[in-house]
Amino acid sequence: MPGGATAGAEASAVSGASTIYRVRRVLAIRSFRRLWGVTYLCSVADWLTILGLTGMVTKLTENYMAQNFAFTGVLLTGILPGLLFAPVGGVLADRFDRRKVMFFADLARCGLLLSIAFVGNGLWLYIANFLASASAIMWIPAKDAAVPNLLRRPDQVETANQLGMVMTYGFAVITAGGLYGIITYIGPTLHISPTLLGPLGFAKVVVIIISLLYLASGLILLTRIPELSLRDVHGTDAAKEREARPTKAEKKAAKEAATGEGTGLRGRFGEAARFIRTTPLVRGLLIGAFGAFAAGGAVIGSAKPYSSSLLAGDSAFGWLVVAVFAGLVVGLAGAPKLARRLPHDRLFGAAIVVAGLALVLVALSPHLAISLVTVAVVGACAGAAFLTGVTIIGSQVDDSIRGRVNAMYQSMLKLVVFGSTAAVPLLIGLVRPHDVNVWGNPIRIDGTRPVMLVGGLFAALLGVIAYRQMDSRRAEPILADLRNAIRRRPRRVNGLLIALEGTTATDTATQASRLAEWLRDGPRAVVLAADPALDDKRLETLVSGASLSGARAQALAAAAVRADIVERDIQPALDAGAIVVMERFVDSPFAHLSAVAGLDVEELEGLADWATGRLRPDVTVLLDADPGQELPGTRTADQHWRVQHLLAEMAAADPDRYVVVDAEGTDDEVAERVRTAVRAVFAGRRGGLVPPEPVLATVDPTPEADSK
């Protein structure tokens, strides 16, 4: 694994840290902190542009109809460049120095907005806004593609995106609204003549401030953040995989690059299209995003008439807006925590499916209270899906093409939302409203409900397709990951852990080694955890060297050794997708301490959870030996019996994870029983992971503690 065990342990520790800790670690990076400040300046300017230009249009025309379309005109001229030029922005971000692209985009926006204040013409206002928005389309892909190169580790991309969204849709909105309110309030409060600054009045001041914000952003980018020019700082696993096994499309692209073909604008578009077509992760991402954005457009277009259909008064619309944005904040805040237990590719598809199903419930809701809850769920899932999608692009897409993928993602967002928002009012008008009673509650059935119903089903369907395209763990049932998410257990990326437990270290060591050799004939890499003999020596050295004579001290020492094995050997192998075989993982050592030293079993289980990070085997094979033999390291056979009894109780308490194998007989006979047990378990859970060998022996599938 890249970075070795140390990096893996550090990443694991950081992933389990609090949100505040992760945010502090990201903001401690000076270059990112400065870019975050630049994002704030540009976002404030963007929101001020909508407010300021809308107010200016109303002053530049006396036509009532034109004034009514002022806000819509400003929005359309701001959105349209994203539909037309977003791919061009992606090509520029991948082809040229991203810092310079962002600087010239800011310079263009500054000049265009400044010209509006002095030209003072309504037509030029729309033209300049269109061109300024086109410049923004060049700025955004470059910024999004550069962010991962500013961070210390790829796993920080999610937190960085989270901070960016909080700044763009939180702090910047509040600042822009407050600043606009203060500027427009100064004149009437101080009784300043509206004509003092010309016919545009204080609207000209707003536009000049917007221009200065863009100018400040460009100067900071050019002079204070040289790191934006860096390329492919971390690399990606996907890029390494493609280097090792390129597809036909990638071989063709390499040939074109070598011969000088396909390097123009059209060639770079084609390269991005081939990459998306041949990469299931990105293809599924765009498919799922299409469904989510279409459903989002349906919600936006039908929100106001839907609130009226609830017959809950004029305040219903306001409450629904609050609910969806509250849910959005929860989704953005909660997605990183869920991602620690559910892989990003699964989280993205699952969030879209849940959002679609929740939208179906919104369409069927008979009461405002139900609508508020379901709308909040839609907002939370949408926030989680959007953040996860941006994180996947930032952390798993190669730097050389990341700008174009980001641009396509952003342009599809604008195109689909704009198209569905425009089409929804027409579809709503096809259904004539009528009132009905549901459980004594009057509701109005109009076109909004069929539109939301179809939009929700469409989003859920594309979410399922996206999940199937993106899922990197098809052999692993998603229900296991969902259980981990509910139980707040850390997720396992790809691997499987098989533990062999028993009363004698010799038996478990022998059978673990034989099982690992047999599993190597299967399709997956197999890792036999660190040499048990060495760890026994380490434990003995630790205990004797520190003069640890107390039972609790010895338990802590045993936990320390297990924690080291997990961080050094087991977790990196699991993250790499291997099958790990470990003998005497935690059950046998702690059962021995409980039986011999009389320590509380529940306390030892808590200690084991803490030492291993709640890591538990997928399957635990318990070797059921004759308790009449004397156990090495203990004084009597009675202690041996108590250890075996405790292990049998553990197996009986969790039958889904344990399989008990008769340990009487030769090593070959026991090994055959272990293989049969493991084969039977994986045939029912994850077929195809073990060698296809005929069943030659029988196994007792259930623990019989009382018979011993």
Side-chain angles (χ1 to χ4, degrees):
M1 291 185 63
T6 303
E10 183 181 1
S12 176
V14 171
S15 68
S18 67
T19 301
I20 295 177
Y21 176 78
R22 289 186 291 106
V23 167
R24 285 177 176 173
R25 291 293 295 269
V26 172
L27 291 180
I29 303 171
R30 183 178 59 182
S31 56
F32 175 80
R33 189 169 64 249
R34 289 175 176 173
L35 181 61
W36 197 50
V38 166
T39 303
Y40 173 70
L41 295 178
C42 289
S43 298
V44 171
D46 292 342
W47 292 110
L48 267 179
T49 299
I50 297 175
L51 298 172
L53 295 189
T54 301
M56 185 173 285
V57 169
T58 60
K59 296 180 180 297
L60 291 174
T61 179
E62 296 180 358
N63 185 288
Y64 177 72
M65 185 64 68
Q67 289 180 348
N68 288 337
F69 277 94
F71 180 70
T72 303
V74 171
L75 283 183
L76 288 179
T77 52
I79 292 175
L80 192 58
L83 308 182
L84 300 176
F85 304 125
V88 179
V91 171
L92 293 177
D94 290 335
R95 176 67 180 84
F96 300 104
D97 187 323
R98 290 167 181 158
R99 179 167 59 111
K100 294 179 180 178
V101 170
M102 295 169 69
F103 168 72
F104 285 116
D106 278 337
L107 208 60
R109 289 194 282 184
C110 171
L112 289 166
L113 268 296
L114 197 61
S115 69
I116 295 175
F118 295 100
V119 172
N121 179 274
L123 178 61
W124 175 248
L125 182 147
Y126 288 123
I127 294 174
N129 187 41
F130 177 88
L131 295 175
S133 299
S135 301
I137 294 304
M138 310 302 150
W139 194 91
I140 295 172
K143 189 267 289 184
D144 289 341
V147 165
N149 293 324
L150 304 182
L151 306 175
R152 296 192 179 104
R153 298 185 311 275
D155 63 298
Q156 293 179 320
V157 170
E158 189 167 41
T159 303
N161 289 331
Q162 197 176 20
L163 286 169
M165 291 181 184
V166 168
M167 183 64 80
T168 301
Y169 300 104
F171 297 145
V173 176
I174 297 171
T175 303
L179 191 58
Y180 183 77
I182 291 172
I183 294 172
T184 54
Y185 185 71
I186 288 176
T189 302
L190 300 180
H191 303 289
I192 299 175
S193 173
T195 61
L196 178 65
L197 300 175
L200 297 179
F202 281 90
K204 181 185 290 187
V205 176
V206 174
V207 175
I208 293 175
I209 290 176
I210 294 170
S211 303
L212 294 177
L213 288 174
Y214 285 133
L215 179 61
S217 167
L219 292 176
I220 293 172
L221 290 172
L222 187 65
T223 61
R224 306 297 292 170
I225 319 180
E227 295 87 354
L228 288 170
S229 300
L230 297 175
R231 293 275 180 166
D232 201 17
V233 171
H234 304 291
T236 62
D237 294 336
K240 294 173 183 176
E241 179 70 16
R242 287 196 304 276
E243 267 186 40
R245 293 184 293 180
T247 63
K248 292 181 180 179
E250 287 157 356
K251 290 178 181 177
K252 182 179 178 181
K255 181 180 178 181
E256 289 176 348
T259 58
E261 301 176 4
T263 56
L265 190 63
R266 182 177 178 182
R268 291 186 176 276
F269 283 154
E271 182 185 2
R274 284 193 299 272
F275 175 80
I276 293 171
R277 189 172 60 251
T278 58
T279 309
L281 178 70
V282 180
R283 186 171 65 241
L285 176 69
L286 294 183
I287 290 173
F290 184 90
F293 297 155
V299 172
I300 294 171
S302 58
K304 187 64 176 74
Y306 172 78
S307 65
S308 300
S309 73
L310 294 171
L311 303 177
D314 294 336
S315 64
F317 179 66
W319 284 114
L320 289 171
V321 171
V322 170
V324 73
F325 274 96
L328 189 68
V329 171
V330 171
L332 292 174
K337 295 180 180 179
L338 285 175
R340 296 204 294 271
R341 308 179 195 103
L342 199 64
H344 282 107
D345 49 7
R346 288 189 158 185
L347 177 59
F348 180 78
I352 293 176
V353 172
V354 175
L357 296 178
L359 187 56
V360 170
L361 296 178
V362 173
L364 301 176
S365 170
H367 195 273
L368 177 62
I370 298 175
S371 297
L372 291 176
V373 174
T374 50
V375 162
V377 173
V378 172
C381 293
F386 185 77
L387 177 60
T388 303
V390 175
T391 300
I392 289 174
I393 294 174
S395 61
Q396 300 188 43
V397 174
D398 187 35
D399 183 75
S400 63
I401 203 167
R402 186 184 300 147
R404 279 163 284 175
V405 174
N406 252 318
M408 290 185 177
Y409 187 71
Q410 299 284 348
S411 62
M412 190 178 69
L413 184 155
K414 293 179 174 64
L415 178 64
V416 176
V417 171
F418 179 78
S420 56
T421 301
V424 161
L426 299 176
L427 297 174
I428 291 175
L430 298 177
V431 179
R432 184 176 181 180
H434 59 280
D435 296 339
V436 297
N437 285 322
V438 178
W439 299 320
N441 295 316
I443 63 171
R444 178 167 297 164
I445 304 298
D446 56 15
T448 61
R449 295 179 182 272
V451 166
M452 286 187 172
L453 183 64
V454 173
L457 293 175
F458 182 68
L461 175 62
L462 291 191
V464 171
I465 296 174
Y467 169 79
R468 294 181 65 85
Q469 290 278 325
M470 301 171 68
D471 187 19
S472 60
R473 307 177 62 194
R474 294 191 177 183
E476 308 286 334
I478 190 174
L479 292 178
D481 280 332
L482 292 176
R483 283 197 301 268
N484 285 342
I486 294 172
R487 297 174 183 175
R488 297 187 176 184
R489 290 181 178 177
R491 67 179 173 89
R492 175 117 17 96
V493 177
N494 281 316
L496 299 169
L497 176 59
I498 303 174
L500 277 87
E501 304 287 358
T503 54
T504 60
T506 303
D507 289 344
T508 53
T510 300
Q511 295 306 323
S513 178
R514 287 174 175 251
L515 178 61
E517 289 183 11
W518 174 70
L519 288 171
R520 289 192 177 100
D521 294 332
R524 287 206 185 187
V526 178
V527 174
L528 182 63
D531 182 11
L534 174 63
D535 288 313
D536 283 344
K537 292 178 181 177
R538 289 169 58 203
L539 179 59
E540 292 173 4
T541 303
L542 181 63
V543 171
S544 60
S547 301
L548 303 179
S549 58
R552 292 182 180 276
Q554 293 181 12
L556 291 171
V561 170
R562 263 60 192 177
D564 183 58
I565 296 173
V566 168
E567 293 181 4
R568 177 170 45 86
D569 296 330
I570 297 177
Q571 194 63 58
L574 292 176
D575 290 344
I579 298 177
V580 179
V581 179
M582 174 70 186
E583 64 102 4
R584 297 172 65 80
F585 179 54
V586 292
D587 292 350
S588 299
F590 289 115
H592 172 76
L593 284 168
S594 177
V596 175
L599 298 180
D600 183 81
V601 176
E602 292 185 0
E603 290 182 351
L604 290 174
E605 288 179 353
L607 180 61
D609 284 343
W610 181 82
T612 62
R614 291 181 176 269
L615 179 65
R616 282 292 179 263
D618 295 276
V619 176
T620 298
V621 178
L622 176 58
L623 301 178
D624 192 14
D626 181 7
Q629 301 176 1
E630 186 175 347
L631 179 65
T634 61
R635 297 179 180 179
T636 64
D638 180 62
Q639 292 175 342
H640 186 175
W641 183 91
R642 280 188 290 173
V643 172
Q644 186 69 21
H645 181 70
L646 283 173
L647 291 173
E649 283 185 340
M650 293 178 186
D654 194 359
D656 292 336
R657 188 167 61 85
Y658 282 83
V659 59
V660 180
V661 174
D662 184 5
E664 300 296 330
T666 65
D667 289 343
D668 290 338
E669 291 173 343
V670 176
E672 185 58 43
R673 295 179 193 134
V674 171
R675 288 196 293 267
T676 302
V678 172
R679 187 188 298 109
V681 169
F682 287 123
R685 298 183 186 178
R686 307 176 180 89
L689 296 182
V690 296
E693 201 169 295
V695 177
L696 300 176
T698 60
V699 58
D700 180 9
T702 57
E704 299 291 346
D706 294 336
S707 64
K708 300 298 179 185

